[in-house]
Amino acid sequence: MKSVKSVFMNQAKPNTHRKRGVVGVIFRHERLLIIRRSLTVAAPGKLCLPGGGIEAGESETDALVREMQEELAIDVDPVRLCWRSVTGWGTELAWWLADLGHDITPVANPEEVAEVHWMCRNEIRTAHQMLPSLPKFLDAWERGEIKLPVG
């Protein structure tokens, strides 16, 4: 008969490491770069800011640059961390303000992004089907918890 200790030692340990992600906060003419996720990724068809998972050993800024290239074929310059949040499913998000050259046009990678939009805060507020993190970001911005270059 196995002891209680040996039974527990043979069970898989729960994963206590949270998944981490990065979000790009990119403005052009006081409008935010917003994407609609493709139908083949998690949370299909939802509006959100562009971003994705941080890979093992990758810095937040490296992940930001890589994700913007993968999703939208754009090169961005990380400026500064502007907010941190945790999603309802436990993913830790780092929201990074980033610069994008005015002559650069994002091109959606159809495997990840269905649509690309430049939207003002009020347009985002009235949009449908967005990830829950987006209105929370807007709320924090409106409360003054997030300092951004536009009001």
Side-chain angles (χ1 to χ4, degrees):
M1 178 182 219
K2 292 183 178 180
S3 72
V4 172
K5 183 177 179 181
S6 69
V7 170
F8 284 113
M9 288 179 68
N10 290 332
Q11 291 181 350
K13 292 183 180 179
N15 183 0
T16 56
H17 298 294
R18 287 191 171 180
K19 186 174 178 184
R20 296 172 52 230
V22 66
V23 179
V25 180
I26 302 167
F27 286 94
R28 181 172 284 165
H29 307 295
E30 299 190 10
R31 294 178 177 271
L32 274 168
L33 177 58
I34 301 290
I35 63 166
R36 184 169 305 278
R37 299 166 68 90
S38 77
L39 298 179
T40 59
V41 298
K46 299 289 186 187
L47 283 178
C48 60
L49 274 67
I54 299 173
E55 297 176 357
E58 190 174 42
S59 71
E60 290 176 357
T61 55
D62 288 344
L64 176 69
V65 169
R66 178 185 49 75
E67 284 290 341
M68 297 306 104
Q69 186 56 231
E70 288 176 5
E71 289 186 0
L72 300 166
I74 58 176
D75 292 320
V76 299
D77 292 317
V79 175
R80 65 177 165 82
L81 178 70
C82 60
W83 195 50
R84 289 194 184 277
S85 68
V86 178
T87 67
W89 49 92
T91 301
E92 295 176 348
L93 296 177
W95 300 67
W96 275 82
L97 183 63
D99 280 339
L100 174 66
H102 290 287
D103 58 339
I104 298 172
T105 302
V107 177
N109 171 353
E111 293 180 17
E112 297 189 31
V113 176
E115 301 170 356
V116 177
H117 304 279
W118 291 98
M119 301 172 78
C120 68
R121 190 167 28 188
N122 291 337
E123 290 171 320
I124 299 167
R125 281 281 186 207
T126 60
H128 298 286
Q129 299 207 349
M130 61 184 107
L131 283 180
S133 58
L134 186 52
K136 290 177 182 176
F137 172 80
L138 296 176
D139 291 345
W141 182 14
E142 290 167 0
R143 288 191 304 267
E145 296 172 20
I146 302 170
K147 302 295 183 209
L148 296 173
V150 297

